[in-house]
Amino acid sequence: MYTLKFHEDMCAACETHDCLVKCQHMNIDLDTAKIQMENIIKNRDSFVLHDCVTCYACEEYCPNGNHPFYLIVTRQEEHKLFPLPDPIITRGIQVGIPFRGDPDITEMSGPVLNMGVFSSLTRRVKSRLFEGLPIMSEDPRKMFHYFCQLMYLHYGKTSVINDRLEKTIQTIAAHKATEIIHFHDECYGTYTSYASAFGIDVPFKSIHLFEYLYNRLLELKDEIKPLNYTVAYQRPCSSRLSSDKHAYVSKIFDLIGVTEGKRKYVDENAMCCGSTIFSQKKEGSRKYCDNIQKLNIDDMKNANAQICVFNCPACMETIGKAVGKAGIMPLFMSDLCRLAIGEKIK
Amino acid sequence: MSSILNKLIAVVGEDYASNRQEELFTYSKDLGTAPPQWPEYVVAPKTDKEIQKIVLLANEEKVPIVPLGGGMTLAGLALPLKGGIIIDLKRLDKIIEVNPESRYMVVEAGISNGKVTAHLHNHYPRLMHSEPGAPPAATIGGNLAIHGQGDLAHPYGFNSDMVNGMEVILPTGEMIQLGSCAVGSGWYSMQPLPDLKFFSGWNGTTGIITKVSLKLFPNKKFRDNDLFVVENEELVPEILYELTHLGMTEDLISSSAAIPPLMNKLHHISINIAGDYEEEIEFKRHMVFDVALSKFIRSGTGGIGNLAGEWPRPQVSKSSDWKKGGGFEYVGAIIPVSLYPECYRQGARISEQHDIPYTILGRVIGCSHAMMFSWSYAFNRADEETVKHARQALHETDDLVMNLNGTIWKPAVYGQRLMMDRMNKNTLELMGKIKTLLDPNGIMNPGNWEVNR
Ligand SMILES: Cc1cc2nc3c(=O)[nH]c(=O)nc-3n(C[C@H](O)[C@H](O)[C@H](O)COP(=O)(O)OP(=O)(O)OC[C@H]3O[C@@H](n4cnc5c(N)ncnc54)[C@H](O)[C@@H]3O)c2cc1C
């Protein structure tokens, strides 16, 4: 059984406790944060375990690269303080069960694009941006074999991740690709952050989609026509696990000639899409989720955004329609880049 | 060429009557487990006058006639069990009148539900009818002939409750009218004349429905399909009771299935909420989730699975796919909502015994007055063994319905017999008298509802 490598001393010595103090969803001062973190570390009850909306952000806020979020969800499970109602957890766990045959394992050399559980978006990568890249998990019937499992952090169920992840890693590794570009940022976070925090061995190198896109755009630089849009970026929860790659967002925007409107919910202060908050057990969760979505979209409008750029398909699914209704075009980052090199998108 | 064929051609023209094997083949099967039953002729009339002539011809020749709509009932109800002529009614598909103020439309009965929905969508977007979850080719007449239910079943009941008038050609060829249209007053009401409703639920054994005045209902601008999920089946009736008490939703369906895994042993209650304004939708959502269902969410026994999904109408079952080969048939039963948990458990047991992934569904009819509960059994058409298992499972389910004191809906012949064996003897006798009175030559869809056997 894998266990979290959490450095208690580092946390005890921390002077900021940014993990909780900066939390957008709980109002916690420094003294309270210290006490609550200690409670959590010592495996005592804490209101944080009850009230955490599982937005992942504390992973990024932690100045020490410790893993407060992984610790919180691990404790939620130990204390059976699951944020979601039981049937929603069962449903979520069952979603990830592959049921339509084994994947076809073909050996792939060089860098490979992994669609994870978003095989249905494969048509979006039929682009010169991804030219020459073999694609892993193209078949929606088999996609759960490539499921990174990280979504169970929202369920307070690290045990499910730890049970299943090794098998997914083996499936991916069986293709023998050495470098893997993950279409979904959450997969990248799994293999680069979660796995190492829990001591799970990953025998391939992961490349962040935005890093890949940036480098590919550099290769196609002569073909880029500046788009001249004002955009807003919907930063997903999983990007908190790879904050070192977040800089690629601005680098790509600069390269393709779009400007980020001035926003309140940006970078560290980005607002979660709420994809699991609406169904949490805590009273008022649905309304709370509605409210943060509204604040987020209003903020995009105030920034005069013409396009909302999505990284994560789940965010797109959750607020894409509402963003569209607000008169802002929802687009995946990869699609925005395709526009910049003159490709048409549907 | 046979004389009957000649006479049929004389009525409808050469293109619309046939006894060619390749055409009869198509009409010899339906989508379910019933073995093929070959007709001798198939005819596709365009008008009620043509139908009258065909019916008179069948009486003269003493040859069975079987009305056919979309042929989607799966239970072999439109297969010619005793041979004869299939009357394919799909060409009888005119829209005769739409009266938006009184919210009804008059259509020929062979019109498909898909065409009705499309017409309203294009020309009367503020109106809708109660569309069954069947493929859109299912006809209005066929659905009424079996007492179907559609996506307005919760607020308004069976589709046969949503009829303002009917025109029917009797088995002896006369055309009758039911409702206000019978006194020449238009098609706006079925009441207050004496009841003569001998045509719904009779599977086309008492006459051919040719025109229908369908009640229409407000079609709101936005429709949300939300999901509420529970693990404990015992909670489903209580939840449906709360929702029907609230009275703010349209269709309410609870379903569970072994495949896909996300549905396994879980009950997904699909809740349709409609509104003309975002505020209206949000208010209804608030009342549904934050008020009516809040106690389930907070106790962790129920949760919101999805909000604001927009699914196209009709929401057709996809359960036919799981065995490959594209076959599935279901037993439907009308039951009290309180029987949902037991129906689910027993259905899962029967499915397991026959190695078929279980698929069940219950749709609320009226204000939790009843539920249409269905047990679907998938089979591979090309694998006779799986067909046999499905057939056996269907029979066991018919038996189960009777044991649980349910009422089999659109029963196949096996289920019809079970129901007739259990039926009040005087009721059965009256059915027999009505059948003899209306169809003295026994030509209408014989083999079905054989009350005088
Ligand atoms: C995937 C799937 C989902 C379904 N979901 C639903 C649902 O949600 N609700 C529901 O009610 N049903 C449902 N059904 C069952 C069925 O398809 C429908 O009830 C359909 O409306 C039946 O109409 P039809 O035109 O196909 O009838 P047919 O199968 O053609 O005929 C049904 C019976 O009526 C007789 N008949 C046909 N037309 C006439 C007429 N004009 N006058 C007199 N008798 C006639 C036939 O002889 C036969 O006995 C579903 C079926 C499938 C395959």
Side-chain angles (χ1 to χ4, degrees), chain A residues 84-88 90-92 94-95 97-100 141 278-283 286-287 290 321 325, chain B residues 229 231 259 261-262 264 266 268 278 282 286 290 297-298 300-305 308 310 321-322 324:
Chain A
L84 292 159
D86 298 345
I88 300 301
T90 309
R91 182 175 191 257
Q94 293 180 178
V95 164
I97 300 174
F99 68 104
R100 308 198 97 182
R141 292 170 306 172
F278 72 86
S279 53
Q280 286 174 351
K281 261 195 297 206
K282 212 175 97 181
E283 184 158 22
R286 193 194 66 83
K287 279 239 160 98
D290 238 29
K321 212 164 84 182
K325 270 191 189 159
Chain B
V229 189
E231 211 156 351
I259 301 178
L262 81 104
N264 192 23
L266 292 174
H268 286 67
E278 302 270 4
E282 177 46 31
H286 164 68
D290 307 338
I297 298 172
R298 291 180 59 202
T301 53
I304 305 172
E310 250 179 287
D321 192 27
W322 307 128
K324 302 284 177 230

Side-chain angles (χ1 to χ4, degrees), chain B residues 75-228:
Chain B
L77 303 183
L79 289 180
L81 301 180
K82 309 246 162 113
I85 306 170
I86 293 251
I87 306 185
D88 185 336
L89 295 164
K90 288 186 214 47
R91 293 176 70 223
L92 206 74
D93 68 344
K94 280 208 285 286
I95 292 165
I96 295 160
E97 179 194 351
V98 179
N99 187 323
E101 292 76 31
S102 296
R103 292 205 179 96
Y104 71 81
M105 76 192 287
V106 185
V107 295
E108 288 185 333
I111 194 169
S112 68
N113 277 280
K115 186 166 171 183
V116 169
T117 295
H119 185 80
L120 293 174
H121 177 82
N122 292 336
H123 304 287
Y124 302 92
R126 281 163 62 88
L127 294 173
M128 67 188 285
H129 79 302
S130 181
E131 181 167 1
T139 64
I140 296 294
N143 191 256
L144 286 178
I146 59 163
H147 275 310
Q149 330 79 36
D151 50 11
L152 291 175
H154 154 43
Y156 306 114
F158 284 92
N159 281 355
S160 43
D161 297 330
M162 303 180 201
V163 168
N164 274 342
M166 257 191 206
E167 228 171 67
V168 181
I169 300 203
L170 296 180
T172 40
E174 302 88 351
M175 186 271 282
I176 61 149
Q177 294 181 318
L178 302 178
S180 52
C181 65
V183 289
S185 304
W187 290 83
Y188 54 82
S189 177
M190 199 64 161
Q191 288 78 13
L193 291 178
D195 274 347
L196 288 169
K197 295 180 186 164
F198 298 133
F199 307 98
S200 286
W202 282 86
N203 302 353
T205 57
T206 50
I208 301 178
I209 304 164
T210 48
K211 277 191 197 125
V212 179
S213 171
L214 280 180
K215 286 187 186 172
L216 302 176
F217 299 90
N219 185 28
K220 305 265 181 166
K221 215 157 143 192
F222 307 108
R223 181 162 283 100
D224 265 7
N225 185 260
D226 300 336
L227 274 184
F228 196 71

Side-chain angles (χ1 to χ4, degrees), chain B residues 254-271:
Chain B
S254 181
S255 57
S256 182
I259 301 178
L262 81 104
M263 294 195 73
N264 192 23
K265 298 196 176 118
L266 292 174
H267 300 269
H268 286 67
I269 301 171
S270 122
I271 302 171

Side-chain angles (χ1 to χ4, degrees), chain B residues 49-61:
Chain B
K49 296 276 170 303
E50 290 177 359
I51 294 175
Q52 277 180 300
K53 287 183 191 161
I54 296 163
V55 172
L56 289 174
L57 169 67
N59 274 290
E60 262 165 45
E61 301 281 347

Side-chain angles (χ1 to χ4, degrees), chain B residues 262-379:
Chain B
L262 81 104
M263 294 195 73
N264 192 23
K265 298 196 176 118
L266 292 174
H267 300 269
H268 286 67
I269 301 171
S270 122
I271 302 171
N272 276 7
I273 294 179
D276 279 324
Y277 304 93
E278 302 270 4
E279 294 86 341
E280 186 182 353
I281 294 264
E282 177 46 31
F283 177 65
K284 288 180 177 174
R285 269 211 203 130
H286 164 68
M287 292 306 294
V288 168
F289 296 110
D290 307 338
V291 180
L293 302 182
S294 159
K295 67 173 174 183
F296 302 100
I297 298 172
R298 291 180 59 202
S299 66
T301 53
I304 305 172
N306 187 30
L307 285 179
E310 250 179 287
W311 291 357
R313 298 172 72 209
Q315 289 168 20
V316 180
S317 157
K318 298 272 193 300
S319 50
S320 54
D321 192 27
W322 307 128
K323 279 266 161 184
K324 302 284 177 230
F328 97 108
E329 183 172 337
Y330 65 90
V331 167
I334 305 304
I335 59 162
V337 179
S338 58
L339 279 182
Y340 178 96
E342 192 56 16
C343 287
Y344 153 68
R345 287 190 289 265
Q346 297 292 340
R349 178 186 56 76
I350 293 174
S351 292
E352 197 181 331
Q353 279 168 1
H354 292 279
D355 188 29
I356 301 170
Y358 83 86
T359 303
I360 60 99
L361 170 156
R363 167 180 260 157
V364 174
I365 301 172
C367 208
S368 263
H369 293 116
M371 169 176 267
M372 194 292 292
F373 193 98
S374 72
W375 297 259
S376 296
Y377 300 106
F379 56 89

